[in-house]
Amino acid sequence: MENRRIVVALGRNAFGETFPEQKTNVAKAAKAIADLVEAKYEVIITHSNGPQVGMIQTAMTEFARLDERYTVAPMSLCGAMSQGYIGYDLQNAIRTELLNRGIYKTVATIITQVKVDPFDKAFSNPTKVIGRYMTEEEARLEEDKGNYTVKEDKGYRRIIAAPKPLDIYEIDAVRALADAGQVVIAAGGGGIPVLEQKTVLKGASAIIEKDYTAARLAEMVDAGTLLFLTAGDKPVTVFEGTDKEKKFDHVKASELKQYVTEEHLGAITTLPKVDAAVNFVLAGEGRKAVIADLEKAKDALAGKTGTTIE
């Protein structure tokens, strides 16, 4: 019997970078999700929060700078805020699209915490640039607090760690809602990274790579398919722009695994997606991952566009 449970990972193109852009763009994402629901898939959604969490962190930092009574919001709180407001727009857009098609189904957002390892090597080698530009003096103050900064053309910015996800604390709630036939939005932006200290979960100053959390989520809900929806329907390509260029429409995970390096794939966007997809497929029987354009989700699942990894 076919496993109809699917985890859909929405890329940043599903939202835009401003409130009005997000409102417009989530309507497109909602159509793609409604197509899957209409096709009788059990849908669990996760999503990017790159521009949004940066905007929130910048705004909260500026607020604290203007009013000394307030402190800068930790990254964990900024992540939680982004999950809430993206989830709000997304669940309402999906609800509207489903109702317009005569489908009555609850859509719920879960503020999701994800366990990371305090000894993850990412904490000593931060790579994610975040927030506003700072002066040299402001950057020095950040470093005095134990934070990392990097110098760019326009000034200094904070850089934070991107540890790997280990566990999802709200996974039982996600499963329960999915089992009840609801559409679930969870682990937005890779989830809120937390460190487990006995019974306390403490927010970590980090951002989890959303593609790895999407794969972890798919594993933990026993999904048969992991669907990455991005901008453009170009298939996964290795050695792009060279005489060794190779495109993949359909590919075995074991074959694609040999190309999972920065040398062969785009380090920032393509590599994490492909690596997460390959690991998900190889970790269980009968699984597949699909990387495709947001507006062609249904065709991608039928193998008509994008890249299918089995």
Side-chain angles (χ1 to χ4, degrees):
M1 184 176 178
E2 184 185 359
N3 183 345
R4 303 291 289 180
R5 180 162 289 181
I6 182 169
V7 167
V8 181
L10 298 172
R12 63 192 296 161
N13 61 300
F15 305 110
E17 298 190 9
T18 67
F19 294 131
E21 277 183 10
Q22 179 167 303
K23 204 77 172 175
T24 299
N25 288 350
V26 293
K28 298 175 186 176
K31 290 182 186 300
I33 298 300
D35 284 345
L36 301 181
V37 173
E38 213 165 34
K40 306 302 181 185
Y41 282 97
E42 298 174 15
V43 181
I44 299 163
I45 304 159
T46 187
H47 58 79
S48 167
N49 73 340
Q52 292 83 0
V53 75
M55 178 180 64
I56 291 168
Q57 199 268 345
T58 298
M60 299 303 289
T61 300
E62 185 67 9
F63 180 53
R65 189 181 69 81
L66 294 173
D67 192 330
E68 62 182 18
R69 292 176 300 167
Y70 297 96
T71 58
V72 174
M75 280 306 304
S76 53
L77 289 184
C78 296
M81 290 179 193
S82 73
Q83 283 190 16
Y85 105 78
I86 293 172
Y88 165 71
D89 273 351
L90 189 55
Q91 72 185 36
N92 281 345
I94 294 169
R95 177 182 182 275
T96 296
E97 184 65 29
L98 290 175
L99 287 174
N100 287 344
R101 300 186 189 197
I103 300 171
Y104 301 90
K105 194 176 282 283
T106 301
V107 186
T109 298
I110 297 180
I111 304 300
T112 315
Q113 300 174 97
V114 175
K115 181 179 181 179
V116 296
D117 183 353
F119 300 106
D120 191 306
K121 61 184 180 181
F123 284 110
S124 58
N125 183 32
T127 57
K128 296 287 186 180
V129 180
I130 189 96
R132 68 182 179 91
Y133 286 99
M134 299 178 286
T135 65
E136 185 175 356
E137 182 182 355
E138 288 173 323
R140 194 179 301 114
L141 289 173
E142 285 294 327
E143 291 177 354
D144 288 344
K145 294 185 224 173
N147 297 323
Y148 292 84
T149 64
V150 62
K151 187 176 182 181
E152 296 184 343
D153 291 341
K154 296 181 181 180
Y156 293 80
R157 296 179 76 190
R158 267 192 72 187
I159 50 173
I160 59 176
K164 293 289 180 65
L166 299 178
D167 195 11
I168 298 172
Y169 286 98
E170 290 75 24
I171 197 65
D172 288 341
V174 175
R175 285 197 201 101
L177 291 171
D179 289 345
Q182 299 186 20
V183 176
V184 189
I185 302 165
I192 303 162
V194 293
L195 304 170
E196 188 174 305
Q197 298 177 349
K198 295 185 178 179
T199 58
V200 175
L201 299 180
K202 184 177 180 181
S205 183
I207 291 177
I208 302 173
E209 175 56 64
K210 68 184 187 305
D211 296 330
Y212 290 116
T213 299
R216 189 75 185 104
L217 176 63
E219 288 176 14
M220 296 183 78
V221 298
D222 300 317
T225 304
L226 173 58
L227 174 62
F228 290 104
L229 295 180
T230 64
D233 59 354
K234 183 180 73 173
V236 170
T237 305
V238 296
F239 299 114
E240 189 167 9
T242 73
D243 57 1
K244 294 191 291 183
E245 181 175 292
K246 188 173 183 180
K247 300 178 186 293
F248 296 101
D249 298 312
H250 292 79
V251 62
K252 292 289 184 185
S254 55
E255 179 186 350
L256 192 54
K257 188 174 179 62
Q258 66 182 303
Y259 296 107
V260 181
T261 68
E262 289 186 23
E263 180 185 353
H264 301 147
L265 294 160
I268 305 241
T269 55
T270 308
L271 176 58
K273 247 178 224 50
V274 173
D275 190 22
V278 166
N279 289 338
F280 168 72
V281 172
L282 291 176
E285 293 293 324
R287 294 177 175 180
K288 74 175 180 179
V290 181
I291 302 173
D293 180 72
L294 171 65
E295 298 186 41
K296 298 180 180 179
K298 198 158 66 170
D299 284 345
L301 287 176
K304 297 177 182 178
T305 186
T307 298
T308 299
I309 305 164
E310 293 181 309

